[in-house]
């Protein structure tokens, strides 16, 4: 007898559309906040980078806090949906606030305005909304296939939204007149779109009753032991695969920050800021294609290890040729090999949750205890820290290079730095990820343990 089904196709699509709302915030912020602050507001890239790094320190606290609050919530809408629904209101308000820094404030007040709005957005409202959104996967169905399908729709909507935001924003700002006022108008439009889509997504599914969730849990497995954060950490730290995953997540976010700095590279090196949107197509379309192909490739290569390693070998080769194409001055070749690199990175994007599950199984096989939720939370924390550190490093490197948003022509030291940031650093980061993945055969380790134990 098969698993009971809970969702119709429109429930899954509706749920997945929530990542449109999430990436209206995340893609817009990560791709364009720095150039808005430096070129339209006139703030220092180095100081902004430091403020972003400091802001990310709060994320670790709020991840755990909101996770616990969602577990304790009981309402007419359920546990997670209230946080998803109302948390996004704060996201919309603070997103607009970040891109609406008053010009008549002193520089100190402008830095303070940005820091407060950015911290509230990331550490409070976006965290509450995103953790609740993720939790819905397990609260509205107990069917494993439906959960996988919900996750697939999420990824497709996420990549598609990132592509759209990165493609149209520069032209959208120009059509609104350019400058700080235009950025504020664009932020308002994105915030309204996000509010509408988030509300639709939230109301597209219903959470199961506590009784049904508890009954299913009892049928599927024995009740999990409860551990404090400190004890869970002691279980996770000896798991080398967990540490590898965290390392890959951090390096991925650093990579993303350097690629997002491409807006500066296109503006001052290639002399065409609109190319940033074109390169976004070369990144996101191959990622979506790879995501669709990943399940079949996992079956063909009998697991995740070979697929992820070979994918990143391709990504390293692709970025190496991007460097070569840049130095011979061929934008078409840069686009081609950017797409090759992105396609190689795609399998890991599609199967990383499965790798995390295998990593959690390794802890269970070696320690006899499960800490699945804490493992997910800590990996999420690694992603946020990596993203914050990556944006901060971008700001610091720009500051060191002598960059000034008030100059139409940047000094040679800045041009050299932009080439280092956009061409060489992504190559190095991809190579480091490939090395880690070459050691991350967690499936093989689990199989060996099960064989030794006769499981």
């Amino acid at each position: 007898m098969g698993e009971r089904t809970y969702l119709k196709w429109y429930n899954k699509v509706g749920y997945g559309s929530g990542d449109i709302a999430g990436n209206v915030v995340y893609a817009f912020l990560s791709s364009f906040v720095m150039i808005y602050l430096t070129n339209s507001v006139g703030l220092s890239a180095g100081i902004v980078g430091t403020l972003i790094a400091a802001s990310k320190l709060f994320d670790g606290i709020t991840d755990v806090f909101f996770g616990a609050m969602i577990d304790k919530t009981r309402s007419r809408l359920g546990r997670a949906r209230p946080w998803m629904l109302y948390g996004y209101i704060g996201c919309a308000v603070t997103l607009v606030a970040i891109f609406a820094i008053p010009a008549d404030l002193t520089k100190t007040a402008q830095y303070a305005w940005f820091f407060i709005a950015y911290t509230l957005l990331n550490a409070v409202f976006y965290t509450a909304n995103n953790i609740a959104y993720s939790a819905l996967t397990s609260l509205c169905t107990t069917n494993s296939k439906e959960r996988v399908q919900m996750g697939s729709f999420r990824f497709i909507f996420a990549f598609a939204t990132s592509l759209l935001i990165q493609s149209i924003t520069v032209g959208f700002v120009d059509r609104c007149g350019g400058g700080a006022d235009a950025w504020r108008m664009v932020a308002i439009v994105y915030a309204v779109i996000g509010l509408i889509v988030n509300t639709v997504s939230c109301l597209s599914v219903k959470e199961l009753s506590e009784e049904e969730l508890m009954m299913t849990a009892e049928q599927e497995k024995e009740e999990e032991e409860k551990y404090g954060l400190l004890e869970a950490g002691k279980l996770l730290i000896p798991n080398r695969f967990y540490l590898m995953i965290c390392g890959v997540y951090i390096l991925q976010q650093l990579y993303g920050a350097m690629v997002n700095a491409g807006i500066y590279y296109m503006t001052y090196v290639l002399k065409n800021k609109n190319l940033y949107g074109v390169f976004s197509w070369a990144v996101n379309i191959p990622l979506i294609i790879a995501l669709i192909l990943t399940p079949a490739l996992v079956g063909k290569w009998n697991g995740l290890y070979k697929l992820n390693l070979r994918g990143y070998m391709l990504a390293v080769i692709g970025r190496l040729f991007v460097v070569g194409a840049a130095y011979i001055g061929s934008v078409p070749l840069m686009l081609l090999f950017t797409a090759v690199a992105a396609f190689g990175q795609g399998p890991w994007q599609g199967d990383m949750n499965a790798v995390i599950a295998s990593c959690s199984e390794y802890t269970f096989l070696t320690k006899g205890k499960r800490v699945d939720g804490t493992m997910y939370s800590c990996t999420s924390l690694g992603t946020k820290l990596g993203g914050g550190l990556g944006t901060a490093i971008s700001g610091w490197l720009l500051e060191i290079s002598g960059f000034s948003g008030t100059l139409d022509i940047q000094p040679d030291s800045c041009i050299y730095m932009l080439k280092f940031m956009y061409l060489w650093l992504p190559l190095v980061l991809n190579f480091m990820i490939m090395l880690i993945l070459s050691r991350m055969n967690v499936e093989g380790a689990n199989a060996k343990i099960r064989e030794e134990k006769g499981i």
Side-chain angles (χ1 to χ4, degrees):
M1 182 178 178
E3 291 183 273
R4 175 184 171 184
T5 58
Y6 295 85
L7 306 175
K8 303 292 185 181
W9 67 267
Y10 50 82
N11 299 125
K12 302 167 192 175
V13 174
Y15 169 81
S17 70
D19 251 330
I20 296 176
N23 278 278
V24 161
V25 172
Y26 187 80
F28 182 45
L29 196 66
S30 61
S31 297
F32 299 107
V33 69
M34 185 67 78
I35 200 164
Y36 157 73
L37 294 171
T38 58
N39 289 28
S40 295
V41 184
L43 301 184
S44 161
I47 295 176
V48 170
T50 301
L51 292 176
I52 289 174
S55 175
K56 288 299 177 180
L57 296 176
F58 293 97
D59 272 350
I61 301 172
T62 56
D63 264 1
V64 177
F65 173 77
F66 283 114
M69 291 300 294
I70 289 170
D71 285 338
K72 296 176 182 177
T73 298
R74 301 292 185 274
S75 74
R76 182 174 55 86
L77 288 174
R79 293 185 189 180
R81 290 201 299 166
W83 293 95
M84 178 183 172
L85 186 64
Y86 301 124
Y88 202 90
I89 297 174
C91 287
V93 172
T94 49
L95 180 68
V96 173
I98 289 172
F99 286 90
I101 299 176
D104 56 354
L105 293 179
T106 65
K107 288 299 179 189
T108 300
Q110 287 179 329
Y111 285 122
W113 178 294
F114 166 71
F115 179 75
I116 293 171
Y118 185 87
T119 302
L120 285 173
L121 172 59
N122 282 278
V124 180
F125 300 117
Y126 185 79
T127 296
N129 170 268
N130 195 251
I131 290 179
Y133 179 51
S134 299
L136 271 180
T137 304
S138 60
L139 293 175
C140 65
T141 178
T142 61
N143 185 300
S144 58
K145 291 183 179 179
E146 288 184 335
R147 289 175 177 177
V148 171
Q149 291 167 346
M150 292 170 73
S152 296
F153 279 117
R154 280 195 64 177
F155 276 113
I156 291 172
F157 278 116
F159 287 134
T161 305
S162 293
L163 169 61
L164 186 62
I165 294 294
Q166 292 167 356
S167 299
I168 70 172
T169 297
V170 172
F172 192 6
V173 171
D174 286 342
R175 287 187 179 88
C176 291
D181 291 342
W183 283 105
R184 182 178 66 245
M185 178 59 65
V186 171
I188 291 172
V189 172
Y190 286 167
V192 171
I193 292 172
L195 268 174
I196 295 171
V197 177
N198 182 77
T199 302
V200 171
S201 174
C202 184
L203 300 179
S204 293
V205 293
K206 292 183 178 180
E207 296 183 29
L208 301 178
S209 66
E210 294 292 325
E211 293 76 14
E212 188 163 8
L213 287 170
M214 291 178 65
M215 180 180 65
T216 305
E218 289 173 358
Q219 291 173 347
E220 291 180 347
K221 61 182 178 180
E222 296 179 0
E223 185 177 358
E224 293 184 6
E225 296 181 64
K226 303 299 181 182
Y227 301 100
L229 187 61
L230 182 60
E231 186 176 354
K234 291 179 179 178
L235 291 170
L236 291 176
I237 296 303
N239 185 335
R240 66 183 185 276
F241 298 111
Y242 166 77
L243 298 178
M244 290 179 190
I245 290 174
C246 286
V248 170
Y249 266 69
I250 292 172
L251 291 172
Q252 274 186 304
Q253 295 302 310
L254 292 173
Y255 176 93
M258 295 306 116
V259 171
N260 286 336
I263 184 68
Y264 289 97
Y265 183 87
M266 309 306 162
T267 302
Y268 298 108
V269 179
L270 298 183
K271 307 296 185 181
N272 184 357
K273 63 183 179 182
N274 292 313
L275 281 174
Y276 182 73
V278 180
F279 274 86
S280 296
W281 280 82
V283 170
N284 287 286
I285 293 299
L287 279 174
I288 293 173
I289 294 173
L291 178 63
I292 294 171
L293 296 177
T294 293
L297 292 174
V298 169
K300 181 178 180 180
W301 284 332
N302 299 316
L304 310 174
Y305 170 67
K306 290 181 180 179
L307 175 59
N308 291 331
L309 177 57
R310 291 172 181 175
Y312 258 89
M313 290 172 66
L314 181 62
V316 169
I317 294 171
R319 288 307 304 189
L320 180 62
F321 279 98
V322 169
V323 174
Y327 280 98
I328 66 173
S330 175
V331 172
L333 285 178
M334 288 182 68
L335 287 166
L336 172 63
F337 292 117
T338 295
V340 170
F343 184 80
Q345 294 169 321
W348 170 257
Q349 297 286 344
D351 66 29
M352 57 186 173
N353 284 338
V355 176
I356 295 171
S358 294
C359 183
S360 181
E361 182 184 2
Y362 181 82
T363 295
F364 177 72
L365 291 172
T366 55
K367 303 295 182 180
K369 299 176 181 179
R370 293 191 178 277
V371 284
D372 303 316
T374 306
M375 179 171 289
Y376 173 82
S377 176
C378 290
T379 307
S380 173
L381 173 60
T383 302
K384 289 185 177 182
L385 289 178
L389 184 59
T391 307
I393 290 173
S394 296
W396 295 332
L397 292 177
L398 287 171
E399 187 74 15
I400 292 170
S401 73
F403 170 82
S404 173
T406 61
L407 299 176
D408 292 329
I409 300 177
Q410 299 296 329
D412 289 342
S413 58
C414 179
I415 299 302
Y416 294 141
M417 181 62 78
L418 290 175
K419 292 179 179 179
F420 172 71
M421 291 169 62
Y422 187 71
L423 300 176
W424 291 102
L425 267 181
L427 172 61
V428 172
L429 291 167
N430 267 355
F431 183 76
M432 293 172 66
I433 292 173
M434 182 189 72
L435 290 180
I436 295 175
L437 292 178
S438 71
R439 309 288 297 176
M440 200 189 294
N441 190 3
V442 61
E443 294 170 292
N446 288 346
K448 184 178 180 180
I449 294 172
R450 285 194 295 268
E451 183 179 352
E452 291 174 349
K453 293 185 175 182
I455 299 176

